[in-house]
Amino acid sequence: MDKLGIAITGSGSAVPDTSLDNQALTALVETSDDWITTRTGIRQRRLALPAESLSSLATAASHQAIAAAGIKATDLDLILLATSTPDDLFGSACQVQAQLGATKAVAFDLTAACSGFVFGLVTAAQYIRTGVYQNVLLIGADILSRWVDWQDRRTCVLFGDGAGAVVLQASKSDRLLGFALKSDGSQNHHLNLAYAPSSQELVPGIHVTKGTYQPISMNGKEVYRFAIQKVPEIIDKALFQANLSVDKVDWLLLHQANQRIIEAVAQRLDIPQHKVISNLASYGNTSAASIPLALDEAVRQGKVQPNDIIAASGFGAGLTWGAAIFQWGR
């Protein structure tokens, strides 16, 4: 088989209709629109209502991506769902597969928090490069509002809900030009959504734990420090692997966590602001959804054009971080 490269041929996104602006948050915690905007760049975020599910958001984004790629759901060989907030702890990718009617596709979840989309992109590429699968749907989707402590003003101002998706297809020319991935579990305590142990005595002398989780816990200063150091480094590594200099990059597309992080990384890499994609102000931090959501918006606005070179980087809980350099389109 001669098609052993990958092309990213379509994108899609979906967000809940309900939005919560900074002013509304002042009723919940002691904060202000000015405080949130100057420190994070976030003005509002979308929130999934109880009737909305992760799989329905992921499916809506996927329909758009499949249509944009010009294929049918039945053409898909693999569905990868990057999420930390599935509807079902056993995984939600199979529900998306059923909702799409992608009868031929194998489906599974992949969890790497805010790095999930980049890790998923690299994973999907391996299946295509080895000739195993030709058409892969990669979704990044999270409903973080389920896991936020709305009384914790350090975290409740940051997160929002959404989904983004892309279709990757086998191609004669390889459009994934370079990548680098990293993990450091020793830093896990800085950002996590940890298991909350509680126990139950089954029979005398035998205690088992009950399944439940604590809300998101984050040390913002440490995560900020980690991001501005590690993200420029990993993008440099991926560019080196791609044999490209930074001036060849058309767009910098970072995980949408904080506008100050985005600006600091761009500055360190010497990438001008007009090349930086940011939609954080409207959606907040949507974890694995943030990169594909921002990408799809930029594609639909006509900013990102075929053959544009994009340097994408995700970073977050784990701690995990990674970068992928890819060319948009066939």
Side-chain angles (χ1 to χ4, degrees), residues 195-254:
Y195 174 68
S198 67
S199 71
Q200 174 190 2
E201 191 169 32
L202 283 187
V203 293
I206 297 179
H207 289 81
V208 293
T209 50
K210 299 274 282 176
T212 178
Y213 289 86
Q214 289 163 354
I216 294 168
S217 155
M218 184 170 92
N219 180 331
K221 279 196 177 72
E222 287 302 324
V223 173
Y224 179 85
R225 193 177 298 160
F226 146 76
I228 61 170
Q229 183 198 343
K230 297 296 188 186
V231 174
E233 225 171 69
I234 201 98
I235 292 172
D236 272 337
K237 278 193 171 129
L239 282 167
F240 180 78
Q241 203 203 31
N243 197 20
L244 286 174
S245 55
V246 76
D247 58 304
K248 294 286 188 285
V249 171
D250 294 300
W251 299 104
L252 178 66
L253 175 54
L254 300 183

Side-chain angles (χ1 to χ4, degrees), residues 26-96:
T26 62
L28 292 173
V29 287
E30 193 186 322
T31 189
S32 70
D33 175 46
D34 182 59
W35 190 92
I36 298 167
T37 308
T38 52
R39 281 164 180 75
T40 69
I42 300 164
R43 295 186 180 280
Q44 58 176 21
R45 68 283 300 141
R46 300 295 183 94
L47 302 183
L49 300 178
E52 294 175 285
S53 66
L54 182 96
S55 54
S56 64
L57 276 177
T59 301
S62 300
H63 275 304
Q64 288 184 8
I66 293 163
I71 62 170
K72 299 188 294 293
T74 48
D75 296 322
L76 293 171
D77 302 303
L78 171 66
I79 297 170
L80 282 179
L81 174 60
T83 188
S84 305
T85 56
D87 297 325
D88 178 340
L89 210 49
F90 289 151
S92 289
C94 292
Q95 288 167 277
V96 176

Side-chain angles (χ1 to χ4, degrees), residues 1-4 128 131-134 170:
M1 174 165 173
D2 59 354
K3 280 189 168 185
L4 287 178
I128 294 174
V132 179
Y133 298 134
Q134 274 74 58

